[in-house]
Amino acid sequence: FAQITAEESEDEPPSREERADARLSERDAAGGNNEGPVTAETEGDGQRDGEEAEQPDQTVTKPQESSDDGSHHVSLLEKIEDTNGLSQQTQSGIITDSRPLLYIEHRNLNPENELKRYFGARAVLGDQRPRQRQRQYVRSTWLTAPKNTWPRYSKTGIAMQLVDTRRGVQYFTFEHHREYQQVQFKFLDAVESMDPNNIVLLLQMNPYHVDSLLQLSDVCRMQEDQEMARDLIERALYSLECAFHPVFSLTSGTCRLDYRRPENRAFFLALFKHLMFLEKRGCPRTALEFCKLILSLDPENDPLCVLLMIDFLSLRAREYTFLTRMFQEWESHRNLSQLPNFAFSLPLAYFFLSQQEERSELELSQARERAAQLIQLALIMFPSVLMPLLDHCSVQPDARVASHSFFGLNAQISQPPALNQLTSLYVGRTHSLWKDPAVMAWLETNVHEVLRMVDARDPLVEESEHKRKMRYQSAPRNIYRHVILSEMKEATAALPLEVTSQPVMGFDPLPPLDSIISYTRPERYLHPSQAGSSLPGRSSSALLQGDIRHDGDEEAGAGQDLNQGVNRLMAAMRDMLANIQFQEPPRDDNPEGDGDWD
């Protein structure tokens, strides 16, 4: 797994993001659609006091706003239109080589923009525009759009500091002020108390406490209340973005966060959970952008191992050239071909490229040849993928394939457990992309070619078998963390006992063993059983921990207790969220209510 520990550099002039966002805003304005920039609010801009200073990008995307340097913005937009009109080919999946691999655009972080492309602005926005005039005063953000049903935001006690700058890369960290630390201690007490009312009351008094939002979102998903679960994650992201350092950039690719610090983990986890909701919602392009964002925060260590899903999102979003380019640029130092997901998704991307009629005949021929070569290598290196993949696609293999030992049951039994987790994860996540009849016909042709090579005793077959036995003896902790967060039953069933036997908290699954602890709970907060623990608050909670195993009679009683606790918690949450906007403590900055901010 050498691909997990490598160095990536994505230096980029900061003006790139401004250019892309400005061009989008200008195009929307020219089309007469002033529904609002990416995720920014369209009303109340005149009362934003000094907030433009915190988010300098937004002033470029709003040429219609009145400001002292408005003429400068207009001239800047005109210059951009003249000089940068041919730099994008996103519809065909081509990313221009002049951009860094993990280049992120603000507009691609907004799922509404993707839904508009699919269904049109009228179908997506509906009657939102008239209602915007009654919205309360909120900050403009890029990661989520604040909702008027949310409690009024006030400073939570989270801040971000610039720790270091080395070789053009800036290292940041979130910090918890004393008041937020006290809330965090209460949250850990609430988790240990096994009383759902304690977490509900804590969130009612502190509606933007991030770990409470993450934990309750998981409970909502367990009860299949996807809407509430997604809303809680978006609120957590909003709380964290409001704490950003003024020079922290989502798009530069040069801003880092250390996952070993507990204060930073909530941002990684909230982005990952938001990404999962976006993909299920049918916004794979937006999900891919968030995946790139997570990877850019720590590309060397990839603490949530998003490399295991970025190929799937690229295929779903039809960003085939991005996937092929990523493999070309990262294979030499990250060994992506050792991952089954890249080994199979890359040839699939080349196959889809070979079906694009707008390409030249030479390009199509090269793509077909590359696809065949790579899929044969993948089948030889990871033969255990084929039969489960066909089974998930409800495809019956022909007699020759079904009777051949190379793809038989022995291929799955003989592989190391760590490899079994990776192949199970890939098949469970990606099988729907292989159901296309044209894909299956192409796969069948290459399967027979591989069997011919096996029967001919090609030395590549024996070499690949040796590699499988030598590698994949144990998986790094970030892969286990990814499997748990992905909740793919095929993969979670293959997790080792050392992972399944410990409590897994939704707000901090499998914390790093080399965590950097900046503050600890005072002795008076510690449960007697936790007094000697180096990681406070890690005791097992039958109410809030997620059980990642899916079989065994001995778990029936615990599961029943969990469901009862969850049902009580959900009932209390619904009452709380229905009434929370009327139970907020008075704010000095708004003594007369929300209506006066219009």
Side-chain angles (χ1 to χ4, degrees), residues 344-415:
F344 279 87
S345 289
L346 186 66
L348 187 59
Y350 276 111
F351 173 78
F352 287 133
L353 286 173
S354 72
Q355 306 298 305
Q356 295 181 346
E357 298 178 354
E358 65 271 15
R359 297 184 178 274
S360 67
E361 187 58 40
L362 177 61
E363 289 178 317
L364 297 178
S365 175
Q366 291 175 340
R368 282 193 295 268
E369 182 179 347
R370 186 77 172 136
Q373 178 188 12
L374 289 172
I375 191 62
Q376 291 171 21
L377 289 174
L379 289 166
I380 292 174
M381 185 64 194
F382 306 107
S384 62
V385 171
L386 179 65
M387 300 308 284
L389 181 62
L390 295 179
D391 183 58
H392 276 72
C393 295
S394 302
V395 173
Q396 186 73 26
D398 60 32
R400 183 188 178 199
V401 175
S403 60
H404 204 288
S405 61
F406 185 71
F407 293 117
L409 187 61
N410 184 60
Q412 300 173 52
I413 296 176
S414 62
Q415 68 179 356

Side-chain angles (χ1 to χ4, degrees), residues 161-176:
Q161 298 297 329
L162 177 60
V163 178
D164 194 11
T165 301
R166 297 193 302 269
R167 292 181 294 180
V169 177
Q170 297 170 312
Y171 295 84
F172 294 86
T173 184
F174 284 99
E175 291 184 347
H176 293 172

Side-chain angles (χ1 to χ4, degrees), residues 72 109 124 134 142 151 224 230 272 301 381 390 398 454 469-470 499 511 557 565 593:
H72 168 70
L109 294 173
V124 174
Q134 281 75 47
W142 294 112
E224 299 184 354
R230 187 172 72 222
F272 190 95
N301 301 301
M381 185 64 194
L390 295 179
D398 60 32
V454 173
K469 291 181 179 179
M470 296 299 295
V499 176

Side-chain angles (χ1 to χ4, degrees), residues 41 59 93 108 127 176 283 300 401 444 462 511 551 583 587:
E41 298 297 329
T59 59
N108 288 332
D127 58 346
H176 293 172
C283 299
E300 294 82 11
V401 175
E444 181 183 13
E462 185 177 350
D551 52 7
Q583 298 179 7
R587 307 291 187 189

Side-chain angles (χ1 to χ4, degrees), residues 181-204 206 209 211-213 215-216 219 505 507 521 524-527 536-545 565 568-569:
Q181 293 180 18
Q182 299 302 316
V183 178
Q184 188 73 7
F185 298 153
K186 293 177 181 177
F187 166 73
L188 295 175
D189 288 342
V191 171
E192 294 175 357
S193 72
M194 300 175 61
D195 184 356
N197 292 315
N198 289 336
I199 267 199
V200 172
L201 290 173
L202 180 67
L203 191 59
Q204 195 166 6
N206 305 273
H209 180 254
D211 282 350
S212 295
L213 294 169
Q215 191 73 53
L216 291 180
V219 175
M505 302 295 183
F507 64 93
R521 297 164 73 186
R524 63 188 179 86
Y525 278 101
L526 292 179
H527 190 276
R538 299 299 304 162
S539 66
S540 173
S541 167
L543 172 64
L544 292 172
Q545 84 179 44
R568 286 186 291 139
L569 178 60

